[in-house]
Amino acid sequence: MNGPDAVRDQAPGETGAAAGHAPSAAALARQFGLPLAALDAEIPREVLDEIPAHFARSRCVLPLGYAGDQLRVAMASPTNTETEQLLQFLTGRSLCIEVAAEDLLLAKIDACYERIDDSEDFAALEASTAPESAGERHELEALSSARPVVRLVSNILLEAIRRRASDVHIRPGEKDVELIFRIDGELILVRRFSRALLPAIVGRIKILGVMDITEHRLPQDGQLRVRDRGRMIDIRISIMPSVEGASVAMRLLLSRVGTNDIGEIGLSTADQRHLGDALEHSHGMLLVTGPTGSGKSTTLYAALNAVVRRNLNIITVENPVEFHVPGITQIPINADIGMTFAKALRNILRHDPDVIMVGEIRDEETARIAVESAQTGHLLLSTLHTNSAVATVSRLLEMGIPAYLLRATLLGVLAQRLVRRNCVYCRVPEAPDPHVRELLGIGPEDIFLRGVGCRHCAGTGIAGRRMTYEYLVATPALRRLITADLDEAALQEQALRDGMVALTAHAVGLARNHEIPLHEAYLTRLE
């Protein structure tokens, strides 16, 4: 931890106790002469028991402690006299009202009451006499449908959704089981629990994912959809047998309308213009590349939003459909019945498309059909798993695409990563390793910042992620270099002359602007 002399950046307008509260909460507190609630303190169980969980959630209120004989209560709407009267009736106490921003208060309510629910559910399960491995279907179904198990699995999923986790892992070990969330790309241990609970929890997840509850030897995949506060979340489930028991991985996908525009995904003004120009073409191929989880789908849908307004017939082929957009025909892949990317692409060419989006080019057949589609009057958008923009051109040539076809069809390649942003409330000077400065070509005079963790970022120092990228524009000069014996170094030099900012250089620029730590930029470097 940093001492009292640590230098911290203060967010604009942040002063005193009001720091971090929404302006409406601070304004309400001033208007009615009420204090702002401090929500970072631990609340004892006996205080939480004053107000039932369902009432706290439905009315957005939270007991904080006592002030003499009064109960201190945080409210987002301190003018709601009906809620205040009901609270006095429920608790039998007079109240000391404090004001809190609704989003912060809801998060604190969830954290407090889900902790109580979970502790009760774990205790109930651990006290049960359920065997380590129930062999019969009816035994497993009864165990997995018990109220504590149902509520426990539900709470795990809701906590993951509200903490913005992209993945949930249930990882069995020799002595216990770990529950792990991936948040902003980082694996975070949430809790450990007894191995005796694993069959019940895995059984419940299998039931939800419509899987065979009695199969323990083979991998299984499933999916389910849950609703939370008006949002639909699709969850893909993978269960793998391991020497310690069933290992579970769940990917959380917010099933929503893709509303990002190309001006909102982090492109420079010049690259927004270049991308917009590419999307105005009636034919050609625009590719987005990067590793899994680098935001490629978000970028593709921002591009689709730019062309959907042109009254074109747009068809997508995806695995799975991550964003739902009105006015677009979206086709899910199903390899189990032979519905592959290549087969879907061959058939949708008969469906009179103007724009085709292919979720991923992963084999020679799909690549060939995609390039031929781009040549024959279709605008084609897709993704590849390559490290850089130039490497994408090499990869397509290696997959058997003739150089003359690539020269004729390629419009541009956007290679991207996601980097973690600093929390603006707890940034302090970063002390990069001299070796890192040397590798990135950075002098000792440059100052960088990193988040160290505070209540605004749940102690992580991170405030979400943003894109860092390089965008290669297929200029006439660059197209002439696309040959069967491609020289990647020459292609890279030409792209830089045409105005491309290399991916690592872009990330270093973000670090210089104090948006991200320098270490994040270091992780994007391309060898």
Side-chain angles (χ1 to χ4, degrees):
M1 297 297 291
N2 291 277
D5 295 329
V7 178
R8 294 178 181 267
D9 283 2
Q10 191 173 50
E14 178 180 349
T15 56
H21 288 274
S24 56
L28 279 172
R30 286 193 300 270
Q31 181 179 353
F32 295 101
L34 298 172
L36 278 169
L39 299 179
D40 48 356
E42 189 78 14
I43 302 173
R45 172 66 185 270
E46 61 269 17
V47 175
L48 293 171
D49 285 343
E50 293 275 3
I51 299 176
H54 67 87
F55 187 93
R57 290 187 171 108
S58 63
R59 297 280 179 160
C60 196
V61 297
L62 181 68
L64 300 175
Y66 303 101
D69 292 333
Q70 290 185 311
L71 178 66
R72 294 172 48 234
V73 177
M75 297 180 65
S77 302
T79 57
N80 190 328
T81 55
E82 179 189 0
T83 296
E84 188 174 345
Q85 290 169 0
L86 285 170
L87 279 171
Q88 289 174 332
F89 176 77
L90 279 172
T91 63
R93 296 177 180 273
S94 60
L95 306 177
C96 177
I97 303 298
E98 301 180 20
V99 185
E102 184 176 9
D103 56 344
L104 298 177
L105 185 53
L106 283 170
K108 184 68 173 180
I109 290 168
D110 285 338
C112 289
Y113 285 103
E114 282 172 8
R115 186 178 69 243
I116 292 175
D117 290 344
D118 287 356
S119 63
E120 291 175 347
D121 291 339
F122 278 124
L125 286 168
E126 288 172 346
S128 71
T129 56
E132 173 72 14
S133 177
E136 297 296 327
R137 177 179 293 274
H138 71 274
E139 292 175 337
L140 276 169
E141 288 179 346
L143 180 63
S144 303
S145 300
R147 184 173 179 273
V149 178
V150 171
R151 189 166 68 175
L152 181 58
V153 172
S154 176
N155 282 347
I156 288 171
L157 294 177
L158 288 177
E159 183 180 357
I161 291 167
R162 293 171 190 175
R163 290 181 65 176
R164 299 180 296 106
S166 61
D167 300 85
V168 176
H169 294 270
I170 297 174
R171 183 185 297 170
E174 184 179 351
K175 297 180 179 178
D176 53 24
V177 179
E178 295 177 332
L179 173 65
I180 298 169
F181 291 168
R182 186 182 293 277
I183 301 174
D184 291 328
E186 183 176 0
L187 291 175
I188 297 173
L189 177 63
V190 178
R191 65 174 64 90
R192 290 183 171 88
F193 56 87
S194 168
R195 280 175 55 95
L197 309 184
L198 187 63
I201 292 173
V202 173
R204 179 61 187 168
I205 292 170
K206 286 182 177 180
I207 289 173
L208 292 173
V210 195
M211 291 178 271
D212 184 352
I213 197 171
T214 63
E215 177 57 68
H216 307 294
R217 298 167 299 173
L218 297 174
Q220 292 192 72
D221 294 327
Q223 59 185 23
L224 71 145
R225 176 173 287 187
V226 299
R227 181 184 294 275
D228 177 54
R229 295 174 183 163
R231 301 174 301 171
M232 295 300 298
I233 296 91
D234 289 317
I235 301 176
R236 288 187 288 169
I237 306 169
S238 172
I239 298 180
M240 296 284 289
S242 77
V243 293
E244 304 294 352
S247 175
V248 181
M250 294 183 280
R251 168 66 57 89
L252 278 59
L253 301 166
L254 184 59
S255 178
R256 68 182 193 274
V257 173
T259 55
N260 283 340
D261 291 321
I262 57 175
E264 299 173 336
I265 59 175
L267 297 175
S268 69
T269 302
D271 287 331
Q272 286 180 43
R273 185 175 68 252
H274 291 316
L275 183 58
D277 290 344
L279 295 171
E280 289 291 328
H281 283 69
S282 60
H283 66 279
M285 182 168 61
L286 181 67
L287 300 173
V288 181
T289 75
T292 300
S294 60
K296 297 187 298 294
S297 294
T298 299
T299 298
L300 280 182
Y301 271 94
L304 284 181
N305 277 329
V307 298
V308 74
R309 305 180 183 93
R310 291 162 50 194
N311 194 28
L312 301 174
N313 185 23
I314 302 172
I315 302 178
T316 74
V317 185
E318 304 168 73
N319 182 28
V321 175
E322 295 188 30
F323 302 89
H324 297 267
V325 181
I328 292 179
T329 302
Q330 296 175 275
I331 302 170
I333 290 302
N334 188 341
D336 291 340
I337 60 172
M339 185 62 159
T340 63
F341 280 109
K343 183 170 184 178
L345 192 50
R346 279 196 303 269
N347 283 274
I348 64 175
L349 290 175
R350 307 187 192 104
H351 216 67
D352 188 32
D354 298 301
V355 180
I356 302 169
M357 194 269 271
V358 180
E360 182 183 350
I361 295 175
R362 61 175 63 182
D363 55 51
E364 181 179 344
E365 184 181 11
T366 305
R368 179 177 51 78
I369 300 171
V371 173
E372 290 174 355
S373 302
Q375 187 188 30
T376 56
H378 306 92
L379 179 62
L380 186 127
L381 314 178
S382 191
T383 72
L384 275 85
H385 288 286
T386 55
N387 288 328
S388 69
V390 168
T392 303
V393 180
S394 292
R395 177 67 180 136
L396 288 170
L397 293 172
E398 291 168 1
M399 293 174 79
I401 303 302
Y404 74 90
L405 274 183
L406 205 48
R407 284 196 300 271
T409 56
L410 187 65
L411 298 172
V413 182
L414 181 69
Q416 66 180 72
R417 303 286 191 278
L418 290 179
V419 287
R420 288 173 282 205
R421 305 178 69 163
N422 284 323
C423 172
V424 298
Y425 295 101
C426 61
R427 293 185 299 190
V428 302
E430 184 181 16
D433 188 290
H435 179 62
V436 171
R437 286 184 181 269
E438 182 182 355
L439 278 176
L440 298 178
I442 294 168
E445 70 280 358
D446 286 314
I447 297 174
F448 301 96
L449 302 180
R450 65 180 179 90
V452 294
C454 65
R455 66 188 179 92
H456 301 283
C457 58
T460 64
I462 299 165
R465 293 186 290 177
R466 64 149 293 156
M467 180 175 75
T468 186
Y469 71 96
E470 61 183 22
Y471 183 44
L472 178 151
V473 179
T475 62
L478 188 136
R479 290 175 192 270
R480 286 193 291 270
L481 296 175
I482 300 177
T483 59
D485 56 346
L486 178 73
D487 183 339
E488 285 195 16
L491 198 67
Q492 177 79 4
E493 289 174 8
Q494 183 61 52
L496 294 174
R497 282 196 295 271
D498 291 337
M500 182 181 85
V501 177
L503 189 146
T504 302
H506 183 266
V508 170
L510 296 178
R512 282 197 171 103
N513 290 334
H514 300 161
E515 280 195 62
I516 66 173
L518 184 64
H519 182 68
E520 286 290 299
Y522 175 71
L523 294 177
T524 70
R525 72 195 190 283
L526 300 175
E527 301 296 346

